[in-house]
Amino acid sequence: MAGINVKLFEEKIRSELATVEKELTSVGRKSPSNAADWEAKPDAMDIVPADPNEVADSIESYEENTAILKQLEIRFNELKAALGRIKEGTYGLCEVDGKPIEPRRLMANPAATTCLKHVNK
Ligand SMILES: [Zn+2]
């Protein structure tokens, strides 16, 4: 790949992946049936407080976790996919036109799959 230092981006991706995975394990756990899938920790639901307000709080925190988890999971899979493209030798190429993605775009988002022109394809 001319122009970009794939190694540098791979390091960026791996370090972000480690961060995301750490955050994922704090709000969720890997699905036992599908390793690529994460589910929110049901812990909060296991507690059965006598106070109805506490029940509401624990449901709320479960829903919050689910929302956070969804975002993290999307990012996790994007980063994983980017590593896959590095392996295949297609990293840094726009998936719309196959042209090299601008290095500044990759600096901002090393998991980018399109060039600036095709951001909103
Ligand atoms: Zn493009």
Side-chain angles (χ1 to χ4, degrees):
M1 191 108 23
I4 65 160
N5 182 348
V6 176
K7 198 83 206 143
L8 174 84
F9 290 108
E10 183 175 0
E11 275 165 29
K12 278 169 72 82
I13 292 165
R14 286 195 190 283
S15 103
E16 191 182 338
L17 197 62
T19 308
V20 170
E21 191 158 17
K22 212 171 142 199
E23 285 171 22
L24 269 170
T25 51
S26 76
V27 292
R29 61 178 187 193
K30 268 187 178 140
S31 164
S33 51
N34 180 0
D37 207 19
W38 291 72
E39 51 193 33
K41 273 185 182 165
D43 302 15
M45 303 298 282
D46 293 343
I47 309 157
V48 187
D51 184 341
N53 290 325
E54 284 180 38
V55 176
D57 281 354
S58 85
I59 290 169
E60 202 170 289
S61 96
Y62 177 76
E63 282 173 354
E64 247 168 56
N65 276 359
T66 306
I68 296 165
L69 189 87
K70 207 70 230 160
Q71 291 303 312
L72 288 169
E73 193 181 81
I74 289 166
R75 191 62 187 156
F76 184 81
N77 289 327
E78 282 174 359
L79 292 164
K80 279 275 188 197
L83 286 179
R85 291 194 298 279
I86 288 174
K87 231 173 150 184
E88 288 169 10
T90 59
Y91 178 77
L93 298 177
C94 172
E95 67 178 14
V96 177
D97 58 14
K99 289 185 179 150
I101 298 171
E102 295 81 355
R104 66 191 162 107
R105 169 141 167 81
L106 290 173
M107 284 305 283
N109 175 13
T113 59
T114 60
C115 69
L116 287 168
K117 211 168 89 188
H118 296 115
V119 173
N120 301 307
K121 49 176 167 133

